[in-house]
Amino acid sequence: LTDREAYKGQGWKEGQPVYNHWQLSFGAETPEEAEEKAADCGLETEWCSDPLNHESKHYLKTKLYTDAFEFCPDIGRNLLFSSIAD
């Protein structure tokens, strides 16, 4: 997730697919607050350079590790999820 401050005043860069800023996604104003809220959701966090805005070092990667199968009682077996999105 991109840093709102790194894109301030630049508008939506032509051809630059910015999905969402971490401040909006987590309702947070500081990196520490975003990390805490992510952890509350079971997410791991990593701060790195923004691949679209190399000056910004506040690009937030999140990871979620979860089971790929869930038991379905209606059919009496496990089902495989093909994808999980935020």
Side-chain angles (χ1 to χ4, degrees):
L1 300 168
T2 54
D3 180 17
R4 177 184 63 216
E5 298 306 311
Y7 285 79
K8 194 176 219 172
Q10 295 183 34
W12 298 98
K13 292 182 176 182
E14 187 70 31
Q16 304 285 332
V18 173
Y19 170 68
N20 206 358
H21 302 304
W22 56 262
Q23 291 93 336
L24 181 60
S25 287
F26 290 105
E29 291 300 319
T30 66
E32 296 79 16
E33 188 180 3
E35 288 175 359
E36 183 178 332
K37 289 184 176 192
D40 289 346
C41 296
L43 299 169
E44 292 183 11
T45 57
E46 176 187 350
W47 295 98
C48 54
S49 294
D50 185 334
L52 301 178
N53 188 353
H54 301 291
E55 294 93 35
S56 175
K57 306 300 181 208
H58 284 119
Y59 185 83
L60 178 59
K61 284 186 182 180
T62 59
K63 294 180 183 178
L64 174 68
Y65 295 94
T66 187
D67 293 330
F69 292 90
E70 186 165 321
F71 184 75
C72 178
D74 293 338
I75 61 173
R77 64 185 192 152
N78 286 330
L79 297 177
L80 175 66
F81 288 102
S82 61
S83 66
I84 299 173
D86 62 347

